[in-house]
Structure formats: C-alpha cells, structure tokens
C-alpha cells in the first residue's frame, strides 16, 4: 500500500464502537482505496497519552485519525454542547444528522478549523443506572452519581445528587466498592462495564433522552491534504453525513441487546412516562438559560443554536423513527 | 530499517545506555524519543507528544498516591513509629539466638504495613536497627543482609507503590491486589525468620543475644505500637470497605501519620522540610521513570513489537504454565541488573496481554453457580420448587455442569458467564501481579545490583559488599522457595479474595 | 553558585511539598464531607434529627467540588517542583555495576555526557510544555467541574519545569568542570544529599 493511517482511540478493540463503527469505516476505506490505504488500528491509547489528548494528537499528526468524546476537552468546542443539553436528543440517527448539518454550517471553519472532521455523532439515549430505584427526581437526593458531561453534572447538582467525576473505565470499580451509587451512561456501554451485574435499577425516559454525548472522528489536516485525489475520494466516500448517521445509529442499535441482558438478569427497568418527564424537565430548564448566558460570554449566540438544533431534530426525528 | 526492526533494535540500545549508567528514566525517554523520530521521519510527532504528555503523565490522580505514601512513610518515622515497632519486637525476641535480627524483620513487616516503598522501609529500619544489631555483636554482612531483605517487606505487605503501578497499568482493583499481597507478605516474613535461624545455627559466632526483658516492659512496648495498627487499619481497611479510593486512603494515611508525628513532637519545621526534601527526591526519581516508560512504550506500540511478540508467544503453543515460568525467570535474571519499578513499567505492557490471553483455568462458571446454589439450598429448598427441578439442580452440581437459566431463576441467584469471566480474568491478573511483585522484590536483594543492598551497605562503612552478598543468599533462597509454592498453589494468593 | 542553585532546588521542593500537603488536606476534607453528607442523608439521621440533617446538607456539607481536578493539577505542579532537587542531588536511579570497574576518567566523561543530555532533555520538556500551555490557552479548554482554564495548571507546571531546566544546565556545567579538572564537586549516589 502507499498510505498508512494510524487510527488511535481509547477503548479496547472488542468494544462496540471500535468493532461496529471504526473497524467498518477502516475496512471500507481500505477497500475503496483498492488496498492503497492501510488503516493501522491502535486501541486503548496504545500510542501513548490520555484520552483528552486525542484531539491534539490528530491536530499535531501524532495519530492520523482519532475517535474522541468532544466533552473530554471542555470549553474547547462549546457549540457541540447544544446536543448534550438535557432532554434535547430524541434518537441517535436524527440527532447525528442535525449535528452534521450544524457542524458544517457553524463549527467546521471555527471551532474545528485545525482538524479535518470525518464524522460527527451522538450515542443513544443517556439514562441513569442506580443501586436504589429512581422513579422521581427526589429519589436522586444524596446519591453519588458519575456524570458524563458538563450539563449532566449540572443537572445532577440541581437534583440534589453529588456528581462524581470519573472516567468510564473506572465506573465498575466505583460501583462495586460503593464510591458511587450509580452512573449515567447509555445502555450500550453497560455490558462492557458489567453495570447490570453491579446495580439492579435502570431509569429510562420516554420521548426525549436525559442527555447524550457528542463524538467526532477527526483526521490530521495535513495528512488529508497530502492524499492524492483518488485516495481523498476513498476517504470522502466514507465520511460526512451518511457516515455520521450510520455511526450514531449503529451505536444506538447496540442499546437493545444490552437492555436485554439487564432484563434477563431480572433487573428493575423503570420508564419515566411523558407526564413524569415534565417534572424532570422543569428542574433541567435553568441549565438552558445558564448555557445560553455562558455561550453569550464566548461570543456565541446560544439561543440561536438551541432553536436551530431543536428545529432540525424535530424535522429529522420522524424520518428516522421506526 | 522497518519500524519493527527499529523497535527490536531499541532493546539493546536501551541496555547499553543503562549499563553506561545513564539514569533509567532518561535512557527510556531518549530511546523513545530517538526511536519515534526515526519511525516517523522527523521530530514533528515526538515534539507534538511532548506538548501534553509530560503534564498529563504527572497530573495523574491515581499516581498521586505515590508521593502521598512516601510522605506517609517519613511522617511515620518522625512520629517514632519505626522505633516503637523495633523496641516492641526486640523486647519479645531479642534474648533468643538471632533474636535481634528476627526483631528487625518483625519491625520491617510492621513498618511495611504503613509504608508503600521498599527503599524507604529499608532505609528507615536500617537507621533504627543497624546500630542495635552491630552493638549486640551481629556480624556486618549478616546485619546488612537482614535489613535489606526486611526492607522488601515494605512492598510485599500492603500498601505498596509498585503494586499501585501494576494496578494502574493493568486496570486492576488496587484494594483487591493489596488484599492478595497480604498472605504472600506474611509468608515472606516467616521465610526470613527461618533464614535467620538457619544462618545463626551455621554461623553461631555471627550473632549475639541481649538480656531478657521483663514482661511488664514488653507489654508496655507493645502498647506503644497502637498508632501503627490504627493507621494501617484505617488506610487498608478503609480502602477495602469502600470508604475511600486508594488515593484518598494514601491522603488519610499521610494525614494520620502527620498528626501522630506532630502530637509526639516529631514534626518540627526542620523535620518537615527534611521530609519534603526526601519525598521530593524519591518522587521525582519515580516519576521521571514513569515518564520515560510512557514515552518509550508509546514508541514501542508504534513499531508493533509488543503485538508481534505476543502473537509469537501465543502461536508457539507453549502451555500457560511454561509461559508463566519463562516470564518469572526473565524477571529474576533482569532483577539482578535492573531497578524493579523500571522493569515493571517497561515489561508489564508487553507481558500482561500475553498472560491475559492464556487460560489458567482458575475459575469456572459451573463451580461458581454450584457454590451459590448450595448456599441457597442450605437454607432450605425454596418455596414452590418442584422435586423434579431440585433433582435437576442436584444432578448438575454433582456432575459439574452449568445450571440452566431457568434453574438459576428458580433458585433466585444471579451468577452469569460474564461474572465468571470477569473473576477469572481478575484472579489471573492479581495472581500474576503478586508473582511479578515478588520476583522483582527478590531483585532488590539479589547481587550484584540490588537497591536495598546498596542502601543498607552504604550505612555501614565497615562491612564489605561481598559479605552482604554472601549472607543475603540465605534470604534469596527462601524467596525462591516461596515463588515456587505460590505458582503451584494460586489459591494461597487468592484465598483472602474468597 | 552551588549555594544559589541548591537554594533554588530546595525552595522548589519545599513548595512542592506544601502543595502536596494541601492536596492531602483537601482530600481528607472531601472524604469527611462525603461521609457526613451520606450520614445526614441516612434514614437514621433523617429519623432522629431531620431539621439538623437538612440544615447541614443545605449548608453545603459534602465532598469538595472538583477535588479530583485540583489533585490532578496540584500533583503535576508538585512533581515538576521536585525535579530540580532530584537533579542537583543526583537522585535519579541508575545502574553502576559496569561503570564501577571503569577508570575514573571514563566515568567522569560518561557523567559529563549524560548530564549534558539530561539538561537538553529538561530544556526540551520545558519548551514543549510552554507550547502546550500556549495551545491550551488559545483553545480556551477548561476542566470539567470547576471549569478553570487548564492552561493555568500548565503555566504553573511550566514555571517549575523551567527551574528544573536551569538546575539541569547547572549540573551539566558542574560535570563538564569535573571532567576537565578531575575534581569531584557534587557527589553521586545514595549517600549524597542525606
Ligand atoms: Na507496604
Ligand atoms: Na537485584
């Protein structure tokens, strides 16, 4: 082959996203390049550094392609947070579609100008997994919960819970030793972390999800520019809107089997119906205002982003709902 | 040269630098840097990594446990804990033949229970016990060898800095590793006591005795060690019971020993400054090695050497036990030449995946289910369970077969393949970790390069290194016997984990 | 000169030690807050003293927000602060089994080369850390919970790493003089310093 792309990310090779999304992407790029591109896969941060460094590694060319959680570097890509606000996301395909559109329009040449973005997506509905059942907001009082993002932590505080900052791989140990009483993650991650064996209660929300996280697949700019046109085309063919929707959708589809595992174990799955969700939304509402104020401080029209995101999500949700 | 060749060439390059007395951390950093420049055709990648990697390596929450445990060890000395331990042990054992040396081992074990580092334990107990040993007519080499060996207990008996680093590298539970190290640590102390009694029988002129101490005095000396018990119980117990994380445990321990030192009048401005300086020196030494190893390991991954090596070993079709034996022998040989922490950092990322990929058959799902089922049935047959179901379950248990999902549901238990796999993987990782820990600790006292030997020997100018080397072989022998026992019976190590 | 450099190294080490002690205290306070918060939420306390428990919780009795982040930023600074003292007391672990049998002059030569390379590496580390700081600053990256700019933490570590580079250069100078004059100015090994 002519070109080797080093693909670096933080999960083990057999986890869902590396196996079902990144490997598929890499195989397709290799195939469409006629074998002239080889994608070397480095899971589990094998090339060194810690997960928050991934985006810099793509920018500086330490790795050629990285997959990363945007929230690992808080404050750096503020516009993406619009999709992470509580009760914003509906389903992962629709929101990933909206994310790509808004990325192209607002973020490509600003926040992400130093890197070539191949895909933007979100995970399936974020939810709560706890030792004691959570049916009402009051049930969260005094619980120590691992939160995944800025707005989730803020929501947890408003609910009277104590947000505990810890990386995803630390969740199993934290739960088994009682350092935390629960965690916020989507279903898909629960199997790898053995969460259904460590807690017995899972709280889902009908309609819009409690939260989600944003991801990007990013490529070093110089590396991309250095590719001959036909190889660029092979990369382009597997990137962009279609890939983003595929990635978000595939990750969300992995929720189902994971939910089944918890069901089979006889765990207690609580679904908050739309009437119940209103109560939670009322508590979450101030987070929207705080976020808009925060964005205004950064010279970004936060309200406009919220309005546009909501409009796009409304528009695409029916299209992707089954 | 291909990347793979550069990766392979980096091993001899590293060895040459280390034997030219280049500091180990610097040698790893340099080879990693130069290797990265060669593999990536330029300084761009290497320099870009340096922008963040020094900071993120040092700003590790889990590694912050290292300076905290080191500081805790110094505070414990300032608080008179090391002295109290030695006095108590000496009171009970000192009048026997070789008794003062045994007391020193006992005190080392006690101090090891609150100190995370072998070097610190050896240095501290050396300062306390070496003058006493010499005063009671113990031969120089025998005295220094005893303390050097006793020092290794600092790391075998939890808490232990090397074990923390192993846990972080392999993503294992630190509390469980600490628990698993406990029995092997006690066995080590017992082995050293046996080594001493054999040595004094073979060379009776090498040890004196001290007068018998009245019982009243012995008990009062024993009472003096309560702060040690308190701190150890709080730190290790608190970590295990989930009151706090290991890092928080180290903070609690440092705070506790600090307060005790202050109450005992040991914590003055001068001694606090001294503690900071000593902690600074060891911490910087350790973290520079951690940084060098991180940089070197990142380079090595890029050359694909660890993957190729792992593939090679697995494809040879050796039995897991052969592979384990080879790895342990490797550590023993290199332990004679290298520092233990550097070895762990350099090799665990390479060896651990190899060991994890092998099946040692330590746990099976059927056995776990059978245990849980018997627990339920002991309390009586659950209401509404048919005789037929009961018979089916009993058949399965008797024949060692897995229970079906329905049988499990009827019993009301949750033991899944996932649980069995997790426990199996965890037990292998813990058992391997303890074995590695022991062999690298043996490395601290094997001639010619043994950090503990150097430290203690430097404290006694009248003793020749050769005499220390000779006497320490008795301790090394008990270490080797212990390794064989622990390899043959994994259950000894895993016993406290249940 | 040696006094000045030793003074700098000691001040940095003590500064690092003070920061480390503060992190220890912070962690202990946070654990206490967490345990008390759990206690006041417990059925026992809400049963016997509901008002008091409620009041304590509202008064903010709980873990220190962002303790994790402060420990991470603080410990990085402390370790960079520890480097100069390790450097000036030749505290880095090395293997002298082979070099012990070599002539003094060869040893002095090796030591000169090693220390010079070490100084260069410390300069490189400080320089690149400075680059990292500038890039973190330009991106406006913050921490997750306390949301303080991450470049503040980089800046502190950068200053300490610059001190380490200065002391590293001084030690390189010492070893060069030692090589050309044959006099030992700074002893090495475990017995030095203490
Ligand atoms: Na210990
Ligand atoms: Na050795």
């Amino acid at each position: 082959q002519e070109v080797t792309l080093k693909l670096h990310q933080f999960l083990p090779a057999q986890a869902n996203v590396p196996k079902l999304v990144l490997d598929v992407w890499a195989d397709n790029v290799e195939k469409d390049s006629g074998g002239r591109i080889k994608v070397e896969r480095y899971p589990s941060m094998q090339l060194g550094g810690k997960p928050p460094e991934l985006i810099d590694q793509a920018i500086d060319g330490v790795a050629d392609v990285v997959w990363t959680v945007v929230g690992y570097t808080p404050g750096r890509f503020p516009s993406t947070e619009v999709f992470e606000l509580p009760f914003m996301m509906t389903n992962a395909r629709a929101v990933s579609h909206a994310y790509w559109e808004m990325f192209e329009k607002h973020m490509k040449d600003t926040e992400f100008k130093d890197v070539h973005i191949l895909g933007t997506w979100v995970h399936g509905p974020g939810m709560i997994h706890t030792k004691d059942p959570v049916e009402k907001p009051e049930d969260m009082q005094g619980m120590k919960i691992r939160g995944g993002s800025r707005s989730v932590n803020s929501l947890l505080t408003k609910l009277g819970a104590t947000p505990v900052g810890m990386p995803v791989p630390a969740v199993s140990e934290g739960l088994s030793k009682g350092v935390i009483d629960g965690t916020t993650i989507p279903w898909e991650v629960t199997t790898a972390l053995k969460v259904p064996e460590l807690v017995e209660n899972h709280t889902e929300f009908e309609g819009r999800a409690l939260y989600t996280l944003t991801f990007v697949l990013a490529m070093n700019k110089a590396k991309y520019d250095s590719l001959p046109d036909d190889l660029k085309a092979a990369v382009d063919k597997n990137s962009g809107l279609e890939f983003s929707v595929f990635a978000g959708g595939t990750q969300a589809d992995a929720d189902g089997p994971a939910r089944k595992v918890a069901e089979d174990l006889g765990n207690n799955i609580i679904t908050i119906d739309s009437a119940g969700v209103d109560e939670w939304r009322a508590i979450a509402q101030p987070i929207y205002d705080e976020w808009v104020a925060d964005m205004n401080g950064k010279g970004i029209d936060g309200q406009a982003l919220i309005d546009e995101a909501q409009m796009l999500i409304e528009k695409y949700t029916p299209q992707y709902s089954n | 040269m291909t990347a793979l060749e550069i990766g392979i060439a980096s091993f001899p390059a590293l060895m040459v630098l280390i034997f030219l007395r280049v500091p180990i951390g610097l040698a790893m950093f340099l080879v990693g840097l130069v290797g990265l420049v060669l593999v990536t055709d330029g300084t761009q990648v290497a320099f870009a990594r340096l922008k963040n990697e020094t900071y993120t390596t040092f700003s590790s929450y889990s590694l912050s446990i290292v300076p905290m445990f080191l500081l805790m060890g110094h505070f414990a000395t300032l608080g008179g804990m090391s002295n109290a331990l030695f006095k108590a042990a000496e009171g009970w054992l000192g009048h026997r033949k070789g008794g003062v040396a045994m007391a020193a081992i006992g005190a080392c074990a006690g101090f090891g229970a609150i100190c995370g580092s072998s070097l610190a334990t050896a240095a501290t107990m050396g300062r306390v016990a070496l003058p006493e040993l010499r005063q009671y007519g113990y031969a120089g080499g025998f005295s220094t060898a005893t303390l050097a060996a006793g020092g290794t207990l600092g790391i075998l008996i939890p808490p232990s800095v090397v074990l923390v680093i192993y846990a972080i590298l392999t993503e294992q539970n630190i509390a469980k590793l600490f628990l698993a190290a406990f029995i092997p640590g006690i066995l080590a102390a017992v082995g050293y006591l046996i080594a001493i009694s054999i040595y004094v029988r073979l060379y009776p002129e090498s040890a004196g005795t001290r007068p018998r101490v009245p019982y009243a005095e012995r008990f009062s000396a024993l009472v003096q060690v309560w702060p040690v018990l308190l701190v150890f119980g709080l730190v290790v117990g608190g970590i295990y019971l989930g009151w706090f994380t290991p890092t928080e445990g180290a903070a609690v321990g440092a705070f506790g020993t600090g307060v005790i030192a202050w109450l005992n009048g040991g914590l003055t401005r001068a001694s606090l400054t001294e503690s900071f300086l000593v902690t600074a020196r060891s911490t910087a030494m350790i973290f520079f090695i951690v940084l060098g190893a991180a940089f070197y390991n990142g380079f090595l991954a890029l050359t694909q050497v660890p993957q190729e090596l792992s593939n090679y070993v697995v494809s040879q079709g050796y039995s897991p036990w052969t592979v384990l034996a080879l790895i342990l022998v490797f550590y023993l040989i290199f332990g004679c030449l290298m520092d233990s922490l550097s070895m762990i950092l350099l090799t665990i990322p390479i060896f651990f995946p190899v060991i994890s990929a092998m099946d040692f058959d330590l746990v099976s799902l059927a056995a776990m289910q059978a245990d849980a089922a018997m627990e339920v049935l002991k309390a009586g047959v659950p209401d509404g369970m048919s005789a037929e179901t009961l018979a089916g379950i009993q058949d399965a248990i008797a024949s060692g077969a897995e229970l079906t999902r329905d049988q499990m549901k009827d019993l009301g238990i949750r033991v899944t393949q996932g649980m069995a796999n997790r426990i199996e993987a965890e037990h292998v990782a813990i058992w391997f970790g303890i074995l590695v820990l022991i062999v690298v600790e043996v490395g601290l006292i094997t001639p010619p390069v043994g950090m503990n030997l150097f430290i203690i020997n430097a404290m006694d100018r009248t003793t020749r290194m050769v005499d220390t080397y000779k006497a320490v072989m008795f301790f090394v022998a008990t270490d080797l016997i212990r390794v064989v026992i622990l390899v043959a019976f994994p259950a000894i190590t895993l016993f406290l984990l249940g | 000169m040696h006094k000045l450099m030793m003074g700098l190294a000691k001040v940095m080490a003590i500064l690092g030690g003070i920061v480390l002690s503060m992190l220890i205290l912070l962690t202990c306070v946070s654990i206490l807050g967490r345990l008390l918060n759990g206690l006041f939420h417990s059925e026992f306390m809400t049963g016997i003293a509901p008002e008091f428990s409620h009041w304590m919780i509202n008064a903010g009795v709980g873990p220190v927000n962002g303790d994790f982040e402060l420990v991470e930023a603080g410990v990085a600074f402390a370790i960079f602060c520890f480097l100069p003292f390790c450097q000036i007391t030749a505290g880095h672990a090395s293997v002298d089994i082979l070099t012990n049998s070599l002539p003094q002059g060869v040893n002095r030569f090796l030591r000169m080369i090693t220390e010079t390379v070490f100084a260069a590496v410390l300069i490189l580390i400080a320089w690149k850390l400075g680059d990292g700081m500038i890039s973190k600053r330009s991106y406006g990256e913050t921490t997750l919970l306390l949301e303080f700019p991450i470049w503040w933490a980089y800046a502190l570590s950068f200053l300490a790493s610059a001190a380490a580079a200065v002391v590293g250069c001084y030690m390189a100078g010492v070893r060069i003089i030692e090589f050309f004059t044959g006099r030992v100015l700074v002893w090495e090994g475990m017995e030095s310093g203490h």
Side-chain angles (χ1 to χ4, degrees), chain B residues 80 90 108 151 168 219 253 356 360 476:
Chain B
E90 200 189 22
C108 283
I168 292 166
F219 279 107
S356 313
F360 287 91
V476 173

Side-chain angles (χ1 to χ4, degrees), chain A residues 56 74 76 114 142 150 153, chain C residues 41 136 139 141-142 145 147:
Chain A
D56 276 328
R76 200 158 154 175
D114 295 329
R150 239 156 56 101
N153 285 329
Chain C
H41 271 114
K136 289 289 173 202
Y139 287 126
E141 196 176 317
T142 67
L145 291 170
E147 298 185 41

Side-chain angles (χ1 to χ4, degrees), chain A residues 264-303:
Chain A
D264 286 349
L265 278 169
N267 282 3
N268 178 24
I269 300 179
I270 300 157
T271 307
I272 311 277
D273 60 19
S274 41
V277 170
D278 288 343
E279 211 182 326
W280 293 76
R281 283 179 96 144
I283 297 169
Q285 194 51 46
I287 295 173
Y288 278 67
D289 306 330
E290 286 161 20
W291 189 74
V292 169
D294 190 19
M295 288 302 105
N296 288 347
K298 290 181 167 144
I300 296 170
D301 187 348
Q303 191 57 51

Side-chain angles (χ1 to χ4, degrees), chain A residues 50 52 56 59 71-76 111 114 141-142 144 147-150 153 160 162-167 179 294, chain C residues 34-35 37-38 41 54 57-58 62-63 65-69 72 132 135-136 138-145 147 150 154:
Chain A
K50 299 222 185 119
D56 276 328
I59 291 172
Y72 279 157
T73 49
R76 200 158 154 175
E111 292 163 17
D114 295 329
Q141 285 274 344
K144 296 183 292 270
S149 71
R150 239 156 56 101
N153 285 329
T162 304
V164 178
M166 60 167 62
V179 174
D294 190 19
Chain C
R34 193 175 65 206
L35 293 178
N37 183 284
H41 271 114
H54 194 70
I57 289 163
N58 284 347
N65 185 34
D67 53 346
F68 193 88
E69 293 166 2
E72 287 196 330
S135 116
K136 289 289 173 202
S138 70
Y139 287 126
E141 196 176 317
T142 67
T143 65
L144 189 66
L145 291 170
E147 298 185 41
I150 201 109
Y154 270 68

Side-chain angles (χ1 to χ4, degrees), chain C residues 3-4 9 14 17 59-60 65-66 69-70 76 92-93 125 139 159 163 177 182:
Chain C
K3 246 188 178 155
L4 178 73
I14 291 166
N65 185 34
E69 293 166 2
L70 289 171
H92 291 287
I125 286 175
Y139 287 126
L159 291 178
I177 294 172

